[in-house]
Amino acid sequence: HVQLVESGGGSVQDGGSLRLSCSVSGSSGNPLCLGWFRQVPGKQREGVAGIHSDGNIMYPDVMKGRVIVSQDSAKNTLYLHMNSLKPEDTGMYYCAAINDPYCAGGVLPPEPLWHYWGLGTQVTVS
């Protein structure tokens, strides 16, 4: 079983930056593709970024150009660096994991397919 714990959320001013972290523990027995999703008020949860175990990175259009996803394998930690934040970015941000082959196509798999989820961290931009 895989456990994901997000941290780093908080309040930031319009135009500001935040770095979210996701601690990854446990194992599914397979290499994992890791991703970041968000749920803003009035919308369904949507993908923000993902990283395949081979290092290939996926950025859906939602926050493309304003986020960078990275990972520290030694620390089993996934990061999401967010810049130029806007009030409409306010919401819950989630870390997720899925078995690697789902990410092989280079496109972030849709939300319902992801196997493991953290509880989320709140980001508020004002």
Side-chain angles (χ1 to χ4, degrees):
H1 191 67
V2 176
Q3 294 84 40
L4 306 167
V5 180
E6 303 93 338
S7 61
S11 296
V12 63
Q13 290 188 335
D14 190 357
S17 300
L18 275 178
R19 187 186 77 166
L20 306 182
S21 300
C22 174
S23 176
V24 183
S25 61
S27 174
S28 71
N30 298 293
L32 294 174
C33 177
L34 301 174
W36 286 101
F37 287 76
R38 73 177 193 179
Q39 188 161 22
V40 301
K43 290 190 176 182
Q44 293 185 332
R45 195 154 52 180
E46 55 190 352
V48 173
I51 185 165
H52 191 273
S53 65
D54 67 2
N56 185 45
I57 291 175
M58 298 153 279
Y59 291 117
D61 290 340
V62 170
M63 296 184 77
K64 195 172 186 177
R66 298 191 292 124
V67 296
I68 296 173
V69 64
S70 63
Q71 64 179 8
D72 184 333
S73 298
K75 295 182 180 179
N76 292 323
T77 302
L78 180 73
Y79 301 102
L80 184 69
H81 306 256
M82 304 188 293
N83 303 303
S84 303
L85 285 165
K86 308 172 185 179
E88 50 265 43
D89 295 320
T90 294
M92 285 293 288
Y93 284 71
Y94 299 90
C95 179
I98 194 171
N99 289 333
D100 236 11
Y102 285 91
C103 293
V107 176
L108 197 71
E111 183 261 351
L113 294 181
W114 290 74
H115 303 141
Y116 305 102
W117 292 90
L119 295 179
T121 186
Q122 176 70 34
V123 171
T124 302
V125 185
S126 60

